[in-house]
Amino acid sequence: MPSAVSERTNLLGLERPALEAFVAGLGSKPFRARQLMNWIYKRGTSSFAQMTDLAKDFRAHLEAHAEVRVPEIASVQVSADGTRKWLLRADAAQAFEMVFIPEPDRGTLCISSQVGCALDCSFCATAQQGFNRNLSTAEIVGQVWLATRELEGAPELATAAADTDAGREQRRITNVVLMGMGEPLANFRNVVPALRILLDDFGFDLSRRRVTLSTSGLVPQIYKLAEETNVALAVSLHAPDDALRNELVPINRKHPIAELLEACWFYLDEQNGRSVTFEYVMLEGVNDSPVQAQSLARLLKGHPAKVNLIPFNPFPGTRYRRSSADAIRRFRDELLQRSVLATIRRTRGDDIDAACGQLAGRVIDRTTVRLGSKVIGVAVHP
Ligand code: SAH
């Protein structure tokens, strides 16, 4: 069967030095890479023909050897609260999701790093899907590129946003969070260049405090990340002790809480960061008691930490229930009384399954993946 896969290089996946090398390979001066990035990222152009300040023969070379290819949109849904979710194609059968959350003071794009996830956290819908593959750097960066263009041309988003209590909400992407499908640190090789492109002045030019990577706690990769980048770090903690965390976030069996926290403080020191955000999903009768809040406060007190309490978002087949609003507030107050900063994450987009932990995409061709000795994916060939 002839391959439909393009032989051309996707420029979206190339960090500046790689793009300079590519451009040099086509016989042009490396500074042309900056011009190209300006067209691609600042002006949102994917067509070389429109890049009018580039020499004609250079453009012809680009046409022949390069492309700006973004993921294809399979569907879009808009929530009553203005949150917007896109289903993007990974191939003919698989898909992944990205979500835009407009707020008065910011516009957050939540992007995916993998098709599915191999980490098997018991309260997460993505985990139930199993794991298919890593997204490429171009597919990760392509989400931000695509969402920027989509938001520019989405008048109905402004209407939906205007209907919310908050009134006028941000339509531009001001923040990017790697909190969609997948474990970003399990796709280190593709995620790190994507982060660099997000931060590059000639790329998306985002400040490092406006890009957040969330991890379930792959300790060795947190140390490695400290060598590569300085984005904000969020960690899915979800439990104040190892026995419970082993159950909720199975990677904890390999990298227990004490090791994880040590890695977090190391990352902050290296990066001169302000604080680490600890995500904590509120599960009724599981991790939401005042005594558990007190244990959590003991772990974090005196450290540069913020706790973000996430009301559990249910999905079909889950055995968990969301903690009551009262229990969540009490938990927060226990933390605050012990001088641990804590906030409650407002649930957004749950009517279109776009809230935290609800992203399921379309993961059909699952690979068998092993974490330690435990099989955490199943081979399914429908
Ligand atoms: N794999 C990374 C990135 C996912 S971020 C990580 O674990 O950090 C998505 C956040 O939503 C994580 O903190 C995750 O634990 C949380 N989450 C997962 N399922 C959830 C659910 N059903 N309700 C609320 N939050 C959930």
Side-chain angles (χ1 to χ4, degrees), residues 179-251:
M179 294 188 185
M181 295 170 69
E183 166 50 52
L185 293 185
N187 183 14
F188 197 89
R189 206 159 56 99
N190 297 338
V191 163
V192 167
L195 293 173
R196 294 219 182 93
I197 296 168
L198 292 180
L199 301 187
D200 191 328
D201 311 350
F202 294 93
F204 291 102
D205 196 18
L206 288 162
S207 116
R208 69 184 182 106
R209 303 203 194 280
R210 291 182 176 275
V211 177
T212 303
L213 181 147
S214 179
T215 177
S216 56
L218 303 194
V219 168
Q221 282 85 342
I222 294 176
Y223 286 102
K224 263 177 69 185
L225 190 69
E227 291 169 16
E228 303 284 349
T229 181
N230 56 8
V231 298
L233 185 66
V235 171
S236 294
L237 193 59
H238 306 314
D241 61 80
D242 283 322
L244 181 58
R245 193 162 192 271
N246 286 345
E247 216 180 279
L248 298 177
V249 186
I251 191 75

Side-chain angles (χ1 to χ4, degrees), residues 113 117 119 121 123-126 178-184 214-217 234-238 249 279-283 310-315 345 355-358:
S113 56
C117 188
L119 289 184
C121 300
F123 51 85
C124 181
T126 306
L178 279 86
M179 294 188 185
M181 295 170 69
E183 166 50 52
S214 179
T215 177
S216 56
V235 171
S236 294
L237 193 59
H238 306 314
V249 186
E279 294 152 293
Y280 195 102
V281 63
M282 297 299 291
L283 306 168
I310 315 176
F312 172 65
N313 295 306
F315 51 88
R345 190 177 289 181
C356 307
Q358 291 186 318

